[in-house]
Amino acid sequence: MLNRITASAKDAGRDGADVTLVAVSKQQPDEKIDAMLATGQRVFGENRVQEAQGRWEGRRVGVELRLIGPLQSNKVREAVALFDVIETVDREKLARALAEDIARSGRTPRLYVQVNTGEEPQKAGIAPAEADGFIALCRDLGLTIEGLMCIPPEAEPAGPHFTLLGGIAARNGLSKLSMGMSADFETAVRFGATSVRVGSALFGGRG
Ligand SMILES: *Cc1c(COP(=O)(O)O)cnc(C)c1O
């Protein structure tokens, strides 16, 4: 996996060390997580707060945990307590709840704004046309946004979506791009991803 990331980066004239592999451990059995930890992998992605709490209790030392699934405002307190990175900030109510809990707890998870680049109604994320305004709002609330995240539509080539995300990031002064999954992480690296979220290609299918 890391070899493929390094090779794609090299193709694009990039350094593979600038791309973080996020191992998406959702719905995977504990044995596979422990085997992955034994390889030295330390960055993991989860899409549900409660599932992650159970799985990572007792396994957290030295591990960076990223929330890559939708976050409900009523789960903000637990998410801020658990995750090092929250990649799915996508609406005002959530941004306000995060700002409040960060001030209350003193914890400062790194934050990404999720953009719904395909404008799919069933998908989370801020619409591309609203992204600039939303990023500005987050900053007004005192939130530090580290980068942007997207999940392109399954049935379309991902490249244009990665380009769109990169453009929004560039004009808002953001350098981090979380994009690319099992099917398209090599493309994502060529289009500038600084982290790729890989589940099934790393662990095998989910149970
Ligand atoms: C599940 C998930 C992934 C990983 O998907 P794979 O296709 O198994 O690599 C990546 N990103 C998000 C947001 C996910 O929910």
Side-chain angles (χ1 to χ4, degrees), residues 45-94:
E46 290 281 349
N47 70 338
R48 287 165 177 272
V49 176
Q50 242 167 336
E51 186 188 333
Q53 280 172 330
R55 168 166 304 127
W56 288 98
E57 211 186 291
R59 287 193 173 80
R60 266 316 283 284
V61 180
V63 167
E64 176 181 308
L65 265 196
R66 297 186 171 212
L67 179 65
I68 60 171
L71 177 57
Q72 291 166 336
S73 309
N74 63 4
K75 293 266 173 63
V76 159
R77 184 180 280 230
E78 287 154 293
V80 167
L82 182 65
F83 290 98
D84 302 293
V85 183
I86 295 173
E87 297 203 3
T88 50
V89 184
D90 67 349
R91 59 197 190 282
E92 180 170 348
K93 189 178 176 199
L94 176 58

Side-chain angles (χ1 to χ4, degrees), residues 11 17 33 36-37 102 121-122 128 158 163 189 193:
D11 280 353
I33 314 272
M36 192 61 62
L37 283 165
I102 286 167
Q122 80 282 12
T163 301
V189 170

Side-chain angles (χ1 to χ4, degrees), residues 178-191:
S178 170
M179 56 191 201
M181 309 179 16
S182 289
D184 54 19
F185 70 90
E186 287 161 311
T187 307
V189 170
R190 284 193 288 272
F191 279 81

